[in-house]
Amino acid sequence: MPEPEDPNKQIVEQLRQQFEKLTVELKPEMEPAVVYTLEEE
Amino acid sequence: MTVRELGAQIRARKMSCEELIQRTLKDIRERDKFNSLITVTGEQALATARERDKELAAGKDRGPFHGIPIGLKDLFYTKGVRTTGGSLIYKDFVPEYDAEVVTKLYEAGAISIGKTNLHEIAFGITSKNPHFGFVKNPLDPTRLAGGSSGGSAALVGGGFLPMALGTDTGGSIRVPASFCGIAGLKPTYGLVSRHGVLPLAFSLDHVGPLGSTVEDCALALNAMTGGDYDVAAPKDLQGLRVGVMAEGAEASVERLRQLGAEIKAVQMPSIAEMNATARVIQLAETAAVYVNHQDKTQFGNDVWALLQQGRMIMGHEYVNGQRLRQHFRTEFDKVWTQVDVLVGPTTPMTAPLLEQDTVTIQGKEENVRMAATRLVRAINMLGEPALSIPCGKGENGMPMGLQLIAKPFAETTLIKVGKALGQ
């Protein structure tokens, strides 16, 4: 009998499908959000 | 009672700080059947209260929080007091210093009575903690208090404390505030220090207050930032432009209209798309935080499953999540040219029963976590300030929350609107 599929993998695949549709809209020049800012020493 | 009401009693010498702490600890011993606290610091609280009484007698008044009992979610470092994160990993962790916000609240005169229970490592919204007990809703102990700041919400909602501190990575202040019928404020990302706070997802974590009123939240924000957020309730809301983010809060929208606000249609990015992006970022960041914790027996099943999911997110997906975040951030700036405030329900349902894993909303069965975070999660990714206030009751008699969102650093707008709505 084949092993049942890992439910976590299923959840991530579902999320991935939704997410990959969004990344189609990304243009090369679009940069990541800047989360951290440099602080002056 | 609120922070100001308790403070007025202390200043009128109707009770001392020590008597207030004694009364609070007694109340918790007798009435708190909700697993709200992991560690009670009664002796320390009483000793501090005696110091605050001496100060008042000598003419030193630290302000609205002088002598006021508060709770600290057990993610905040507290010097010499264990900080468990609701996890077996940190069950014996005793920090050597206080979190920055804890220091600021102490300097403002607040007295911590203990460390509040939470969803394990703050990664979830039920606060069904397998190690420290399920946090129960003080309004109906058969129901969830919400999470991850469940213990803080239960203590405020149960009338034990006027304010307790929480954190919010995907709704963890606003969801329990909604379920427990209190106010909860997630400030703008970066406004409140995260130094000395156990992280869940670095770029999504926010620190904020849960209060019995909007004023309590505003006063806590003052204490934590040194700002002046406790603005007066306006007599009306003439000139305020309000957009409806999600259906389900029609009575509140009508009340806003009656107060003079202009209700406008608003163009905004898809909440579902923003949520998907936020999930990718959060799963990856939390997996990074817990990369060296590979022992499944150290975690509850739900948290372990989420950590496993995070380990499957690939590097390019995380980076693209952050690129999409920037895109949504830019798009959302356009929202603030159309309206000043967005409103909608905080959660699409009231507090579920403790044993419920799913809820049915408009005929569709959904996982409780996914449903409860649907209207709040994206706001963590954007970083906007968001306030949840009570707005009536559901068919089962449990409170419903109204979420108000404003542009970055416009906390005073939220506080004004919250107060205008009578909260």
Side-chain angles (χ1 to χ4, degrees):
Chain A
M1 267 186 42
E3 276 192 29
E5 187 153 11
D6 176 0
N8 292 323
K9 201 171 168 187
Q10 285 179 341
I11 291 167
V12 172
E13 279 308 318
Q14 203 177 16
L15 174 60
R16 187 167 278 140
Q17 280 175 18
Q18 196 182 359
F19 182 71
E20 282 177 354
K21 284 181 197 157
L22 306 178
T23 59
V24 170
E25 302 296 322
L26 286 169
K27 296 181 179 66
E29 68 274 18
M30 290 168 72
E31 295 193 359
V34 177
V35 175
Y36 300 102
T37 52
L38 294 173
E39 286 179 16
E40 214 171 321
E41 287 291 324
Chain B
M1 287 180 116
T2 69
V3 170
R4 284 204 195 277
E5 286 167 351
L6 289 170
Q9 292 207 1
I10 290 170
R11 284 170 192 83
R13 304 291 190 263
K14 289 183 180 166
M15 65 178 163
S16 66
C17 300
E18 185 178 7
E19 285 164 346
L20 174 56
I21 296 298
Q22 279 171 340
R23 196 177 80 178
T24 302
L25 292 169
K26 181 170 181 281
D27 194 24
I28 287 169
R29 274 196 305 275
E30 291 175 356
R31 277 200 312 122
D32 180 14
K33 312 294 181 200
F34 315 112
N35 285 320
S36 304
L37 285 151
I38 290 177
T39 305
V40 178
T41 50
E43 287 307 313
Q44 191 174 317
L46 286 167
T48 308
R50 286 190 282 273
E51 289 299 314
R52 297 292 160 268
D53 281 328
K54 281 183 198 164
E55 286 178 354
L56 275 184
K60 180 178 179 180
D61 187 336
R62 291 174 183 249
F65 273 100
H66 193 115
I68 302 298
I70 64 164
L72 303 171
K73 186 178 184 179
D74 207 14
L75 279 184
F76 292 95
Y77 283 27
T78 40
K79 186 179 178 182
V81 177
R82 73 173 179 158
T83 298
T84 69
S87 162
L88 293 182
I89 293 170
Y90 304 110
K91 69 180 169 51
D92 299 316
F93 171 51
V94 179
E96 293 177 355
Y97 61 93
D98 289 322
E100 180 70 15
V101 285
V102 171
T103 300
K104 289 196 181 299
L105 284 163
Y106 288 171
E107 285 171 357
I111 299 174
S112 170
I113 55 86
K115 308 298 293 288
T116 68
N117 201 353
L118 66 157
H119 200 107
E120 181 180 10
I121 66 168
F123 207 177
I125 59 88
T126 66
S127 297
K128 287 160 71 170
N129 191 309
H131 317 300
F132 296 96
F134 291 10
V135 184
K136 297 171 188 171
N137 194 308
L139 307 177
D140 177 352
T142 67
R143 293 181 182 275
L144 297 175
S148 61
S149 311
S152 290
L155 286 167
V156 177
F160 298 98
L161 298 173
M163 194 286 285
L165 213 50
T167 60
D168 190 320
T169 305
S172 286
I173 287 173
R174 291 159 288 160
V175 171
S178 175
F179 285 179
C180 292
I182 59 173
L185 174 65
K186 181 200 82 62
T188 305
Y189 182 81
L191 179 65
V192 179
S193 169
R194 290 180 292 112
H195 178 67
V197 185
L198 282 173
L200 178 63
F202 302 107
S203 75
L204 302 168
D205 291 343
H206 298 66
V207 170
L210 296 100
S212 67
T213 61
V214 171
E215 180 185 73
D216 292 333
C217 290
L219 292 172
L221 195 58
N222 285 355
M224 290 189 288
T225 65
D228 191 8
Y229 295 96
D230 188 29
V231 287
K235 66 178 182 6
D236 61 45
L237 294 174
Q238 291 287 342
L240 186 81
R241 300 167 303 163
V242 175
V244 178
M245 182 176 167
E247 289 179 4
E250 286 69 27
S252 296
V253 172
E254 184 51 35
R255 179 75 188 122
L256 287 164
R257 194 195 308 274
Q258 288 167 1
L259 285 164
E262 179 190 2
I263 312 300
K264 294 186 66 176
V266 62
Q267 295 272 323
M268 58 180 285
S270 153
I271 296 173
E273 290 181 359
M274 290 191 288
N275 281 343
T277 306
R279 283 177 66 203
V280 166
I281 294 169
Q282 180 173 3
L283 285 169
E285 291 192 359
T286 306
V289 172
Y290 288 93
V291 67
N292 293 321
H293 297 280
Q294 301 282 348
D295 179 359
K296 183 181 177 176
T297 64
Q298 295 292 294
F299 298 95
N301 291 337
D302 63 327
V303 169
W304 179 252
L306 289 168
L307 290 174
Q308 291 292 79
Q309 290 165 29
R311 289 168 183 141
M312 294 176 200
I313 302 293
M314 291 191 269
H316 66 82
E317 291 171 325
Y318 176 73
V319 172
N320 280 339
Q322 292 287 14
R323 293 173 76 202
L324 282 165
R325 179 189 209 163
Q326 185 63 32
H327 163 70
F328 286 127
R329 178 63 269 142
T330 306
E331 287 298 301
F332 225 79
D333 283 340
K334 295 174 190 166
V335 170
W336 304 123
T337 65
Q338 305 165 59
V339 296
D340 304 302
V341 174
L342 287 170
V343 298
T346 306
T347 56
M349 77 288 205
T350 55
L353 295 166
L354 287 168
E355 65 271 20
Q356 259 182 281
D357 291 324
T358 61
V359 286
T360 303
I361 299 168
Q362 293 176 338
K364 191 182 164 204
E365 191 175 13
E366 293 180 68
N367 169 281
V368 164
R369 184 175 68 88
M370 295 302 287
T373 56
R374 188 163 67 220
L375 303 172
V376 288
R377 180 188 294 283
I379 310 308
N380 292 70
M381 184 183 71
L382 295 164
E384 258 75 347
L387 173 69
S388 181
I389 56 174
C391 70
K393 292 189 174 167
E395 286 175 3
N396 57 7
M398 294 300 288
M400 295 188 300
L402 178 75
Q403 181 176 224
L404 304 161
I405 305 161
K407 68 181 179 184
F409 303 104
E411 276 80 359
T412 49
T413 302
L414 298 181
I415 288 159
K416 269 184 198 169
V417 177
K419 286 189 174 184
L421 286 171
Q423 300 299 327

